Amino acid sequence: MDNLKSKFLLFSLIILLFLSVYAIAAAESDNVISDAQNDLKLSEDTITDDVKLNEDSSDDDVLSKVDTDSSDDIADEKPADIKNKLGAGTSKVTVIFHKMSSDGEVTDSVTNEISSTWGIGMAKFNNQVANKKYSDFVYENEHWVFDHWEDADGNKITGTQTIVATGEDFEVHYYAKYTHTPLGTLRVTYNDNFGHGSSSMNYTDHNTAYKHTFNVPADYPEDKVVFKYWEREDTGEKFNAGDTLTVKPSEFDGKELNITVNAIYDIKTVVTLDEVTDYTGNVVDITAKVEDAFGNPLNGGTATLTIDYGNNNAETYTAEVNDGKAEFKDITLGAPGDYPSKVEYTGYDDPDSSEGRNTYLASEGESEVHVLPLNTTTESDDVSGTVGEKVDITADITDQNGDPVQNGTAVLKINGKEYTAEVKNGKATFTGVELPSKSTEATIEYEGNDYYNPSNTTIKVTVTQLDEPDDDDNPTPDPDEPSTDSNGTDANGTDSNPKEPNDSKITEKVKKAIPAAGNPIVLLAIASVILGSAVSLRRRK
C-alpha cells in the first residue's frame, strides 16, 4: 500500500515537470513572434513617412524628411537602434528663420507635424534671403550684407538640417548672419518752391553712381513765375530740362555729402498805383505799391512815375523801392483836368541769392490823376444910399487856400439890372451902380473858370427916400369916415367938431393914436371912438 502511494506521487511530479517545460517554451516563442511583428511595423511606418514627406516636398521649399546621408546610416542600423534614434510619437515642429532688413529684424516661419525626421535643405535657407531687401541693405547708417546661416548653438549651416520627432511640440531657430560696415551717405535735396516744394533722399549704393535727370518743374504757377533752369548750390552748375546730375560713389565714400539743387525762376512783379484826386497847384505825395506776384513786398529796384498833362507836357519823378513802396514826394499838380499816370518798375536781382536766382522782373502799373479847380469864396459889404444914387461896390474873391483869385469875371445883380467886373488880384469892383427906389438885396456872382470854381454872395442895399413927408402931419383920411364941410357939419347935419372944453383933449388923443402909415382899419377904429365921444357929449348937454 505504501509502495503504491510512492509510485503515484512520482508519477504526479513527472507530469508537473512536463507541463512547466511546455509553458516556458510557449512563452519564449510568443516573445520572438511579437518582436518580429514590431520590427516589421516600424519599417512600414518609416517607409510611409518617407513617401509622404517626399510628396509634400515637391515644391521649391526643398523639404525632405530624411537627407541621403541619414537614410544610408539608418538603413545600416538594426531595428532596435532605429527605434531609439527616431524617438517616440509625433511632434509639431516650428522652424523660425531670423533675418534683417532696413527696418530691423524680421522673422519668417514654417510649421510641420512629423513622427520621424524632417530635412530642411539649403535651398530653403537660401530662399529666405533671395530678396535683396534681406541680403544687401542699409540699417542704422551701416551697409549690411548677408554672409551665412547659424543654428541656435552658433554652428554654421552648410547643408541639410535634419529635425527628429521627440513626441513633443518644439521650435527650431536659425539666424542669418551679416557683415556690416559704416558707409558714406549722399543726400540730395531738390528745392522746387513754386511746384512741389522741397524733397530730399539718401543714397548709399557704393557700387553704382547716383544719377538724376531733370525736368521742368511740374505744376509751378506760370502766371507768377518763369522757370529758367536748375542750379547746384555748392558748385553753381546749371542743369536745363533733360540734363543729368551724376555723383560717383567715390565722392561720398566714408562721409556724408549733401547736395542741394534749386529750381531757378524769374519772379513776376505787380505795381499798383491808386488814382489821385486833388486841387490844382496843390503839392501832393503819390505812393505806388510794388510786390512780387505772391504778394510779398519788394526791397530793391527803381520806380519812375510819369504824369502826362498833354501837349507834350509830361512830368516824371523817380523813387527807390523799399518795403514794397515807391514814394514820389512834393509833386505840384498842374492845370485842372484828368491825366493818365504810369509807374514803371525796373525789377532787380535778389542780392541774397546766387546769380540769376530769384530775379524780380520789370513791370508797370497805370492809373489817373484828377486835378480839380480851386474852390472860391466871394464876399462884399452891405450898401446904403438914397434913391437913384450911384455908388461903387467892391467884392473880395479868394480861393480855398485864402489866396486872392487872379482872374475871371464877376456879375452884380440888383433890381433887375446887371453890372460886370473883371477880377484882378482877388477884387471885382462894380462902378456907377444906381441904387433903386427902395431898399432891397443884391447878388454878386463869381463865374469861375478852368482854375477856379464859381461862388456868390448876397448883400443888403438900404435906400433912403429924398424929402419924404411926415405921416403924422398929413394923416391919410379914412374912406369910411363921414365927410364934413368947412363948418364941421357932416352929411347928416351933425356938428362933427363941437366946441366943448374936453374936445381938444379927445382930438389930441385921437391924433396921437393915428399911425403915420394910415392903416384903414386903425382909422376906422379911431373914427368910431371919435363918433362915440361926440354922441356922449351931446347927450350930456
Side-chain angles (χ1 to χ4, degrees), residues 137-143 181-189 200-206 208 210 232 234 247-260:
F137 54 87
V138 174
Y139 175 66
E140 293 185 347
N141 202 33
E142 291 185 326
H143 188 194
T181 56
L183 288 181
T185 300
L186 169 64
R187 179 176 289 109
V188 183
T189 301
S200 61
M201 54 84 63
N202 293 336
Y203 186 77
T204 57
D205 187 352
H206 277 223
T208 307
Y210 170 81
R232 181 169 168 173
D234 56 344
V247 183
K248 299 178 180 179
S250 58
E251 295 184 55
F252 60 93
D253 185 26
K255 63 181 180 180
E256 181 177 296
L257 175 62
N258 293 309
I259 296 177
T260 299

Side-chain angles (χ1 to χ4, degrees), residues 73-391:
D73 293 340
I74 294 174
D76 295 336
E77 294 177 349
K78 297 179 180 180
D81 294 331
I82 293 175
K83 179 178 179 181
N84 291 335
K85 183 172 183 179
L86 295 181
T90 299
S91 295
K92 184 178 182 181
V93 181
T94 300
V95 175
I96 300 175
F97 299 94
H98 299 264
K99 52 190 177 182
M100 294 284 291
S101 73
S102 58
D103 297 323
E105 184 178 7
V106 178
T107 60
D108 192 10
S109 64
V110 59
T111 301
N112 196 9
E113 188 173 316
I114 63 174
S115 58
S116 56
T117 62
W118 179 14
I120 301 178
M122 285 305 299
K124 179 65 175 178
F125 287 97
N126 294 334
N127 188 54
Q128 286 291 319
V129 291
N131 191 325
K132 194 173 181 180
K133 177 179 180 181
Y134 305 110
S135 62
D136 190 346
F137 54 87
V138 174
Y139 175 66
E140 293 185 347
N141 202 33
E142 291 185 326
H143 188 194
W144 297 68
V145 178
F146 172 77
D147 187 70
H148 64 275
W149 287 94
E150 291 182 359
D151 61 19
D153 296 327
N155 299 313
K156 185 176 182 179
I157 305 300
T158 59
T160 300
Q161 299 298 296
T162 301
I163 301 173
V164 180
T166 63
E168 296 180 355
D169 297 343
F170 59 92
E171 294 179 349
V172 179
H173 295 263
Y174 296 102
Y175 300 87
K177 295 299 178 179
Y178 298 85
T179 59
H180 54 96
T181 56
L183 288 181
T185 300
L186 169 64
R187 179 176 289 109
V188 183
T189 301
Y190 299 95
N191 289 326
D192 177 13
N193 293 327
F194 304 117
H196 297 292
S198 297
S199 63
S200 61
M201 54 84 63
N202 293 336
Y203 186 77
T204 57
D205 187 352
H206 277 223
N207 298 316
T208 307
Y210 170 81
K211 293 185 178 182
H212 176 79
T213 300
F214 292 96
N215 297 309
V216 175
D219 303 329
Y220 76 89
E222 297 184 51
D223 59 328
K224 294 179 172 61
V225 298
V226 177
F227 173 74
K228 295 179 68 177
Y229 49 79
W230 294 88
E231 182 179 80
R232 181 169 168 173
E233 194 171 278
D234 56 344
T235 64
E237 184 179 3
K238 295 177 175 59
F239 303 92
N240 294 316
D243 292 346
T244 301
L245 167 67
T246 301
V247 183
K248 299 178 180 179
S250 58
E251 295 184 55
F252 60 93
D253 185 26
K255 63 181 180 180
E256 181 177 296
L257 175 62
N258 293 309
I259 296 177
T260 299
V261 184
N262 299 304
I264 307 303
Y265 301 86
D266 283 343
I267 304 177
K268 297 180 180 181
T269 62
V270 178
V271 176
T272 303
L273 180 62
D274 294 333
E275 291 188 7
V276 175
T277 301
D278 213 322
Y279 294 94
T280 179
N282 280 5
V283 178
V284 299
D285 295 338
I286 299 177
T287 300
K289 184 166 63 175
V290 185
E291 300 174 324
D292 66 18
F294 299 92
N296 301 310
L298 298 181
N299 286 284
T302 302
T304 300
L305 168 66
T306 301
I307 302 175
D308 187 359
Y309 289 104
N311 297 323
N312 295 321
N313 180 22
E315 299 289 340
T316 59
Y317 309 86
T318 301
E320 298 298 317
V321 176
N322 293 299
D323 196 24
K325 296 177 182 178
E327 296 180 331
F328 307 94
K329 295 184 175 296
D330 301 329
I331 299 174
T332 301
L333 297 181
D338 298 323
Y339 306 106
S341 60
K342 178 172 65 175
V343 169
E344 297 173 288
Y345 175 58
T346 61
Y348 74 105
D349 292 336
D350 188 349
D352 296 329
S353 301
S354 57
E355 180 183 356
R357 180 180 179 186
N358 291 345
T359 295
Y360 295 97
L361 298 176
S363 62
E364 62 182 40
E366 297 182 351
S367 186
E368 286 188 345
V369 174
H370 306 284
V371 183
L372 305 177
L374 293 174
N375 294 324
T376 62
T377 301
T378 299
E379 295 178 335
S380 181
D381 296 334
D382 294 337
V383 177
S384 63
T386 59
V387 174
E389 182 181 356
K390 293 184 177 181
V391 297

Side-chain angles (χ1 to χ4, degrees), residues 470-530:
D470 188 355
D471 290 341
D472 290 339
D473 297 334
N474 298 287
T476 302
D478 187 351
D480 296 330
E481 184 177 353
S483 60
T484 58
D485 56 18
S486 58
N487 296 325
T489 303
D490 61 18
N492 296 324
T494 304
D495 186 357
S496 61
N497 188 22
K499 303 298 182 178
E500 293 297 333
N502 297 327
D503 182 55
S504 61
K505 296 181 180 180
I506 296 174
T507 302
E508 188 67 26
K509 291 181 180 179
V510 170
K511 285 183 178 181
K512 292 181 179 180
I514 298 176
N519 190 312
I521 297 175
V522 176
L523 293 176
L524 180 61
I526 294 173
S528 300
V529 172
I530 295 173

Side-chain angles (χ1 to χ4, degrees), residues 378 395 397 408-414 417-423 428-430 442-448 455-457:
T378 299
I397 304 172
T409 302
V411 177
L412 169 66
K413 296 179 181 180
I414 181 173
K417 294 182 178 180
E418 293 186 358
Y419 300 86
T420 301
E422 295 299 316
V423 179
T429 300
F430 306 94
T443 300
I444 300 175
E445 297 179 353
Y446 171 64
E447 294 181 340
S455 61
N456 60 74
T457 188

Side-chain angles (χ1 to χ4, degrees), residues 379-384 392-394 440-442 457-462:
E379 295 178 335
S380 181
D381 296 334
D382 294 337
V383 177
S384 63
D392 293 341
I393 299 175
T394 298
T440 185
E441 291 182 343
T457 188
T458 300
I459 61 174
K460 291 182 179 181
V461 178
T462 303

